[in-house]
Each structure stands twice: as structure tokens, then as C-alpha cells.
Amino acid sequence: MAEKKAAAEAEKTKKDAEAKAKKEAEAKEAAAKEAAEKAEAEASAGLDAANGKDPIGAFDVEPAKEVAVCALSDIGPGAKACSGFFQGNLLNNSPLDLDAQAAGLKIVGLEDWDGKLVEPQINLGEPVVDFFTPLSGATIVGIHWGGGKVGPSPGTPGGVTAFYLFDAGQELDAFKLAFDAASGARLYRTGMFSAPPPKFNPPGGLGGSPNGGAAIPEPSTWALLIVGFGAVGAMIRARRKPVFA
């Protein structure tokens, strides 16, 4: 009897140990699974936060701002072309900003910009651009606006930059901007193209051809000249005709 009792107790102890080990293993597995799910959720939340999203409320972030697009009406004269807006102030001389400027200028027609300006960059305190250099003809400028409420792209970190091509006419001293919060302007080119020669002589002109040479008579003019020369020749021959007695 004692042996049977001892054997039963040993079997019970063994089963209890196995049950305890199984329970501990299940607990560890559940804890590991919970930790993995938590880590995955935190990683997903971090990615959403970087994109300005907060679907689970884990982070207190503000949604990302969309950068506006430039328009031909952004500047007073009315632009022929524009590129931007590009986030941040690109009107700098760092290698990255110089490359970004060259890319933006290429869109508005300035190929292979050599990094030179017509004059040093000017700072702006009001929505008026007044370079020291008088503007004429095809002109290309770059403008940076801050990210304030009165700018073209409110809330954009670092503000925005845009590039414009416009016709300044004969001589333009200054031009207005459609938005406040402008901080700086660069003049890349002005007077790029000269007016083509006129296709006809203006009234009261010198009568020269558009290419600057002598005018070519019309066919009717040639006919009148030939008739006139013929008449003059006939008169001369008549005067030289001998008179016989």
C-alpha cells in the first residue's frame, strides 16, 4: 500500500510540474506575441506621424501642409512662365540650393545657369520688388516667401520659393507681388531679347529696307523709268539729227 501511495504521489507531482511548465510556456508565448504586436503598432504609428497622420492617437502631431503651386498672376507684370512653389528658401549659395535653383530656372527658360546674378540679392519687407538695375525685355527672377498666413503657402515650414519669366517692357523700375511675407528676391536675367526689326518702313521713315540696305523699286516703277529713259533718248537723238539744204 505504501508503495502504491508513493507511486501515485510521484505521478501527481510529475503531472503538476508538467502542467506548470506548460502554463509558463504559454504565458511566455503570449507575452512575446503581445510585445511583437505592440512594437509593430508603435512602428506603424511612427511612420504615420512622419507623414502627418495620427490614426491611433499615439502622437500629438499636426497634419502636414501641402505646398501650393505658383501662378502667372503672382507678380504684377504677369508672368509668361513660372516654376514652384518649392519648399524652403532656395535663394542661397549652398551646393544643394544652387542645384535646386538651376532646376527651377531651367523650367522657365534659363538653360545652363552659371550661378551668376545680375546684381546681389535684395531683401524684401513689403510686396514690392525694386532692383537697382532697370528691367527690360525678357526678365527672370526668383522670389522667396515665408510660411506665414499672408504668404502663398501658409504653414509650409521654411516658406516657399518660385521662379518667374516675364516681359518688363522698355524699362521697369519695380513691380508688385500678389502676396505679402516676401523675404528676398534674385535677378537672374533681364534684357535677354531685343525687338525684331520692323517688317515695313514706318510712315515718314528713311525709305530703307528692313535689313538696312537700299529699297528695291517695284515693277511698275521700273516700267516708268524705262519709258522715261526712252523718251529722253529720243529727244537727244532728235536734237542731233543733221539738217540737209
Side-chain angles (χ1 to χ4, degrees):
M1 291 291 295
E3 292 179 356
K4 289 183 178 180
K5 185 177 180 181
E9 289 180 353
E11 184 68 20
K12 183 176 182 302
T13 302
K14 180 180 179 181
K15 289 183 178 179
D16 290 343
E18 290 177 351
K20 183 178 180 181
K22 183 178 180 181
K23 187 174 182 180
E24 290 177 352
E26 290 177 350
K28 289 183 180 179
E29 183 179 356
K33 184 177 180 180
E34 182 180 357
E37 290 176 351
K38 183 178 179 181
E40 183 179 357
E42 289 178 350
S44 177
L47 181 62
D48 288 339
N51 293 328
K53 301 177 182 179
D54 187 19
I56 61 176
F59 298 91
D60 185 15
V61 296
E62 186 178 351
K65 302 291 185 181
E66 292 186 1
V67 178
V69 179
C70 68
L72 302 182
S73 58
D74 291 344
I75 60 177
K80 301 293 184 181
C82 73
S83 63
F85 295 107
F86 304 102
Q87 183 173 351
N89 185 2
L90 304 185
L91 306 186
N92 292 294
N93 294 325
S94 68
L96 289 178
D97 289 332
L98 289 175
D99 290 343
Q101 287 177 76
L105 292 169
K106 188 174 183 179
I107 296 175
V108 297
L110 182 53
E111 299 281 349
D112 301 325
W113 178 53
D114 57 5
K116 297 180 180 179
L117 303 174
V118 175
E119 65 176 58
Q121 178 175 326
I122 62 173
N123 297 323
L124 302 177
E126 56 183 353
V128 176
V129 180
D130 187 3
F131 292 108
F132 293 100
T133 304
L135 308 179
S136 63
T139 300
I140 294 180
V141 299
I143 309 293
H144 171 258
W145 283 274
K149 295 182 179 180
V150 293
S153 187
T156 300
V160 292
T161 304
F163 304 94
Y164 300 90
L165 164 67
F166 65 95
D167 184 1
Q170 295 296 325
E171 185 172 334
L172 181 66
D173 290 331
F175 60 90
K176 293 184 178 180
L177 303 175
F179 304 98
D180 288 328
S183 69
R186 284 190 168 186
L187 177 58
Y188 297 94
R189 293 289 186 274
T190 191
M192 291 172 58
F193 308 110
S194 59
K199 295 183 179 180
F200 58 89
N201 293 321
L206 299 177
S209 69
N211 296 324
I216 301 174
E218 297 291 332
S220 59
T221 304
W222 279 116
L224 291 175
L225 289 173
I226 292 172
V227 172
F229 288 144
V232 172
M235 291 176 62
I236 293 174
R237 287 195 301 272
R239 289 180 179 180
R240 291 181 178 178
K241 186 176 181 180
V243 179
F244 298 96

